[in-house]
Amino acid sequence: MTPRPAAVTLWFWLNLAVGICPLPYWMVGRSDARVMGCPIAILYCVGLLISITACLFALYRADDRRGYFVDTDPPAPGTPPATF
Amino acid sequence: MIVTFGLLFVFCAALVVVLQRHMVHDRSFSDYAVGGRSFGTWFQAMSFLNTWWPGGIMLSLTGMAVKKGVIAFYMPIYSLLTVMLMYAMARRVWIWGRDHDLRTQADMLGLRYNSRALGVATSIVGLLSLGPFLVLGFKSLGALFYEFSFGRLPMGLSVLLGVALILLRQIWTIRMGMRGLVISDLYQGILAYGGGTLLALGFIAWLMVAHGARLASLDPALLALPDAHAAQGPLYLFSLIATGVLGGWCIPSIFVRLYTADSVRSMLKAGVFSMPLSLVFSVALVLAGLLASEVPALRAQADGVWFALGREAGGSVGLGLAGIIILAATMGGADASVQSFGTQIANDIVGAFVTLSYRASIVTAKGGMVAVMAVAGWLSTLAIPNLVTIAILGYQGIIQLAVVQYGGLFWRRGNATGALVGLCAGFATAAAIELDHHGDTGWSFGLTSGLIGLGVNLALYILCAFMFAHTPAEQQRLATLFDGVPEQAVPDAQALRLRPEPVA
């Protein structure tokens, strides 16, 4: 099995850090800034949620490609049981 | 009333038809407890959503958005972050489950730490912590009946009717075990989260068109998040999110879902594929709540704003649909809790001391479920002061399992002594702080009682790991467990098993 792509792993940890770290929330939580009328706090939270979701999709896709699931997949219908 | 209760009847009748059509007799206790590890992606996804977003949480999420504003986003954030945690641990949990016929969280911890006492202790902590939530879930159905009757039924009678309905539903949970639960979760999940999302989006459109509500005109106080100078402490929001992320997979009824999947692929795909729905659904609920805060009549009914939106926007039909969505979501959560209680009583507590046959296991699990339902049903008809506080205390308690669980899965040096000592000390610390400060976090920089308890728990876990080294035999057992060495290469492979292979 090949290792996970570094970019996806980095994205994963970045999401976790940004999602838990209080600093970004402090910054957007006291800002009056708006983007097209939408408050920045709402944009930040929704953006973070989209990033987490997209990251997990990328991770799943990368894992599928590198054969992460193959050894635990159920046998295809009609496959004879393994013998040792 | 005819419309609202008519919709309720149609929903329940369709559910019974779905369950009866899929009635399958179990062949083993694993069949009953984890559905024979046979469910694919979509069953898993809906099953996860049904356990994660019960009706009570839906109501409190919209209510919190109305009253407190954007801080309500903390729930969607921790709900998605916890799937990341699941992704990290799922493979090991599932493989250990398949190889050792694990059925519950306590089974997994018992295997990892080679300790029956730890398995029993974690199971008891899980049961005690989940109990108040079950009672709250039953009670929330009382609010549903009250709303459905447009306030004509007294609240006490509404609660009784709600409890009667959920108890009636449990007949199928008891008869069909996890299989019935997962199958009904698909039906309930489509309705609750698919239908719920559409309805929430409809409410948003109605608020914008009929009332001119806009995010741009929200009260600035609702847009503020607790910052470094907040009265609750600078780390308050961090505590809320961290507690949710860490605690999610410590809940026994959620953890057991990892064992119902037919493969690691199904499990992770289910987690990943459920995320967009979870995202749109939860964000729509928060936005609907935020926009509802613009309408004085809705702001005045913050706690029941979901029902109020249905009633105001769609009359009887709107209220009926809003209620059915809450009912579908509540049933999923309550069923999962009841099923988890029964399995844990038979598998982790009674089964830890007595070897039960398949039939005895089933009878014990079903008996446990009946007993739990009877007690929860009775408690939910009583006016229990501070029930919500007790439930919060329960959650602060259940996250103490995080050290044992994640420490055990990702660090092989941790041992049973540290796990037990840490768990007990963490639980006691969290309980003492919660009882003393009643949720106030201003004195602790915003850290909740659970997180402080978790710190004590972790410190003791690490200390014991360095003080009491594993024996060579334990080291070899753990190497086999973690590295997946073929059993033929290990002389005492049988010792790894929780349940020895039955002799033919």
Side-chain angles (χ1 to χ4, degrees):
Chain A
M1 206 183 334
T2 54
R4 279 194 180 116
V8 179
T9 307
L10 184 68
W11 191 9
F12 180 92
W13 286 110
L14 211 60
N15 271 322
L16 203 56
V18 171
I20 291 182
C21 179
L23 200 60
Y25 296 108
W26 292 352
M27 288 163 66
V28 298
R30 64 180 176 215
S31 170
D32 293 329
R34 285 159 196 266
V35 178
M36 292 194 296
C38 187
I40 197 85
I42 295 177
L43 281 179
Y44 176 76
C45 292
V46 174
L48 175 64
L49 290 167
I50 292 171
S51 172
I52 295 168
T53 305
C55 168
L56 261 282
F57 266 92
L59 191 59
Y60 176 80
R61 196 176 152 86
D63 278 345
D64 194 18
R65 282 184 177 166
R66 73 192 185 99
Y68 184 64
F69 306 114
V70 172
D71 59 332
T72 57
D73 275 341
T79 308
T83 52
F84 295 98
Chain B
M1 271 176 69
I2 292 173
V3 174
T4 51
F5 283 104
L7 282 168
L8 179 81
F9 177 78
V10 171
F11 166 78
C12 292
L15 179 62
V16 170
V17 170
V18 169
L19 287 167
Q20 284 297 127
R21 284 191 61 178
H22 291 89
M23 184 72 80
V24 173
H25 289 289
D26 300 309
R27 288 163 297 178
S28 68
F29 190 61
S30 288
D31 239 14
Y32 185 77
V34 291
R37 292 177 225 282
S38 59
F39 290 100
T41 303
W42 291 109
F43 280 103
Q44 280 291 118
M46 283 304 170
S47 170
F48 169 66
L49 286 175
N50 239 235
T51 317
W52 191 259
W53 293 108
I57 295 286
M58 288 173 66
L59 292 177
S60 63
L61 183 59
T62 40
M64 188 178 192
V66 175
K67 285 190 287 190
K68 298 190 175 173
V70 289
I71 193 176
F73 273 112
Y74 93 92
M75 276 197 220
I77 289 172
Y78 83 65
S79 298
L80 294 196
L81 284 176
T82 203
V83 181
M84 297 177 78
L85 205 54
M86 184 271 267
Y87 201 100
M89 72 171 178
R91 183 179 166 89
R92 183 161 286 159
V93 170
W94 191 88
I95 290 175
W96 287 3
R98 178 197 62 187
D99 293 351
H100 301 282
D101 192 23
L102 308 181
R103 299 151 185 167
T104 62
Q105 180 188 36
D107 262 2
M108 193 277 286
L109 296 174
L111 171 77
R112 161 61 182 84
Y113 292 99
N114 201 16
S115 166
R116 187 171 291 181
L118 186 66
V120 175
T122 51
S123 194
I124 290 172
V125 167
L127 290 176
L128 287 179
S129 304
L130 261 188
F133 286 99
L134 187 62
V135 176
L136 276 177
F138 281 18
K139 270 184 175 288
S140 73
L141 285 183
L144 173 77
F145 274 81
Y146 182 77
E147 294 286 346
F148 268 18
S149 71
F150 293 89
R152 285 177 208 153
L153 289 177
M155 195 59 190
L157 181 60
S158 300
V159 171
L160 277 178
L161 288 172
V163 171
L165 178 67
I166 200 81
L167 293 185
L168 192 67
R169 164 68 183 87
Q170 299 312 312
I171 290 173
W172 284 271
T173 305
I174 292 174
R175 286 176 72 194
M176 296 177 72
M178 183 58 88
R179 193 179 299 279
L181 199 63
V182 178
I183 288 167
S184 61
D185 277 348
L186 184 67
Y187 165 70
Q188 289 162 183
I190 289 170
L191 209 65
Y193 310 106
T197 303
L198 290 177
L199 198 62
L201 292 174
F203 289 157
I204 291 171
W206 176 76
L207 285 163
M208 293 178 83
V209 173
H211 290 278
R214 294 286 184 275
L215 292 177
S217 56
L218 284 177
D219 179 354
L222 294 178
L223 298 175
L225 290 168
D227 63 8
H229 309 290
Q232 306 99 317
L235 300 177
Y236 180 63
L237 188 55
F238 158 79
S239 289
L240 291 180
I241 295 174
T243 305
V245 174
L246 290 172
W249 291 98
C250 295
I251 299 171
S253 56
I254 293 183
F255 185 92
V256 75
R257 302 301 171 120
L258 297 175
Y259 289 142
T260 57
D262 62 4
S263 62
V264 175
R265 182 192 296 277
S266 292
M267 185 170 42
L268 293 184
K269 202 171 170 183
V272 172
F273 279 45
S274 68
M275 287 178 82
L277 182 54
S278 202
L279 185 155
V280 178
F281 167 74
S282 58
V283 169
L285 288 183
V286 177
L287 292 182
L290 285 172
L291 292 172
S293 72
E294 296 268 276
V295 183
L298 293 171
R299 196 167 55 234
Q301 309 175 63
D303 288 329
V305 75
W306 177 256
F307 294 123
L309 277 166
R311 194 173 49 242
E312 297 293 324
S316 298
V317 176
L319 176 62
L321 291 175
I324 293 301
I325 282 159
I326 294 295
L327 178 62
T330 304
M331 274 189 175
D335 299 346
S337 295
V338 169
Q339 201 276 347
S340 170
F341 271 90
T343 304
Q344 282 183 275
I345 289 169
N347 190 69
D348 304 339
I349 298 176
V350 178
F353 301 101
V354 185
T355 305
L356 296 172
S357 65
Y358 157 59
R359 186 157 181 77
S361 298
I362 298 277
V363 169
T364 310
K366 290 183 175 180
M369 286 188 211
V370 171
V372 164
M373 279 189 321
V375 173
W378 171 64
L379 287 176
S380 54
T381 59
L382 304 178
I384 304 171
N386 302 323
L387 182 60
V388 174
T389 309
I390 295 169
I392 292 169
L393 177 60
Y395 200 82
Q396 304 299 341
I398 212 161
I399 66 162
Q400 301 310 318
L401 294 175
V403 171
V404 189
Q405 183 168 295
Y406 302 120
L409 281 168
F410 298 119
W411 193 45
R412 66 179 77 181
R413 188 155 187 164
N415 57 44
T417 310
L420 260 176
V421 170
L423 181 66
C424 294
F427 193 84
T429 305
I433 293 173
E434 195 64 40
L435 292 174
D436 199 35
H437 291 274
H438 305 289
D440 174 33
T441 56
W443 65 279
S444 57
F445 299 99
L447 292 176
T448 53
S449 58
L451 277 191
I452 297 172
L454 207 60
V456 173
N457 185 346
L458 180 65
L460 288 170
Y461 183 82
I462 294 172
L463 187 70
C464 289
F466 285 101
M467 279 177 64
F468 310 110
H470 291 308
T471 61
E474 180 63 2
Q475 276 177 4
Q476 190 192 357
R477 193 189 74 87
L478 287 174
T480 310
L481 191 61
F482 275 81
D483 300 333
V485 177
E487 289 190 1
Q488 290 88 334
V490 187
D492 59 346
Q494 191 74 359
L496 270 174
R497 298 184 180 281
L498 277 186
R499 293 173 208 86
E501 289 287 324
V503 179

